[in-house]
């Protein structure tokens, strides 16, 4: 699987909760559940079931960054970690965080947000991702 999405987190499906048209697929990534809301058609086409190897795939632009270990939000995925680096551009920065048992997650956020949060390498921070922003991938 080759994708342009920066965040490709390997794990195994542990649970699938089916609704009328969508389902919530839970992928265990190093002992932490990652929730993805995807269509029932996608669940069936990928032959997802508990135990199957899968990837939680998240574009860096879909990752929010906060301070603290948990925020009162509706977003299902909140991963505390450590800022490993910040690549500053003209308008946006890419914040690299170590979360989920050593995985790196990249977030594209504005330079203003980096400054307002006072982010710097070594800081504790929180990667926040809505379940609807998580795609699921499998190896062919």
């Amino acid at each position: 699987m080759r994708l342009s999405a920066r965040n490709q987190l390997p794990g195994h499906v542990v649970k699938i909760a089916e609704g009328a048209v969508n389902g919530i697929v839970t992928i265990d990534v190093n002992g932490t559940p990652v929730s993805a809301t995807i269509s029932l058609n996608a669940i069936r086409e990928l032959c997802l079931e508990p135990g199957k190897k899968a990837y939680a795939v998240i574009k860096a632009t879909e990752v929010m960054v906060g301070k603290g270990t948990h925020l009162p939000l509706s977003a299902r995925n909140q991963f505390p970690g450590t800022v490993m680096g910040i690549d500053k551009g003209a308008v946006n920065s890419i914040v690299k965080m170590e979360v989920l048992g050593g995985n790196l997650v990249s977030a594209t956020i504005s330079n203003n947000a980096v400054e307002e949060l006072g982010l710097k390498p070594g800081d504790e921070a929180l990667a926040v991702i809505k379940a609807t922003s998580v795609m699921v991938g499998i190896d062919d």
Side-chain angles (χ1 to χ4, degrees):
M1 177 177 72
R2 293 178 57 180
L3 301 170
S4 63
R6 291 181 186 271
N7 304 305
Q8 300 175 32
L9 307 170
H12 290 86
V13 175
V14 292
K15 182 179 173 185
I16 299 172
E18 294 188 2
V21 293
N22 292 326
I24 298 173
V25 177
T26 304
I27 299 171
D28 180 288
V29 177
N30 291 333
T32 301
V34 178
S35 296
T37 301
I38 63 174
S39 71
L40 292 180
N41 285 341
I43 291 169
R44 290 183 178 89
E45 288 170 7
L46 295 172
C47 301
L48 296 178
E49 60 186 26
K52 183 166 186 158
K53 181 179 178 186
Y55 298 84
V57 179
I58 309 137
K59 291 179 62 173
T61 53
E62 297 296 319
V63 180
M64 295 174 275
V65 177
K67 288 285 192 117
T69 57
H70 184 78
L71 299 173
L73 298 170
S74 63
R76 291 184 178 274
N77 301 302
Q78 297 190 34
F79 309 124
T82 304
V83 176
M84 302 305 290
I86 300 172
D87 298 330
K88 188 174 181 182
V91 176
N92 292 322
S93 292
I94 297 173
V95 178
K96 296 174 187 162
M97 295 177 56
E98 184 177 296
V99 298
L100 301 169
N103 284 289
L104 283 181
V105 169
S106 294
T108 301
I109 63 174
S110 71
N111 291 337
N112 287 345
V114 171
E115 290 172 20
E116 289 169 8
L117 291 169
L119 291 176
K120 59 189 178 312
D123 283 355
E124 298 299 313
L126 187 68
V128 179
I129 307 138
K130 292 179 62 170
T132 53
S133 295
V134 179
M135 295 173 277
V136 176
I138 60 169
D139 290 321
D140 289 330

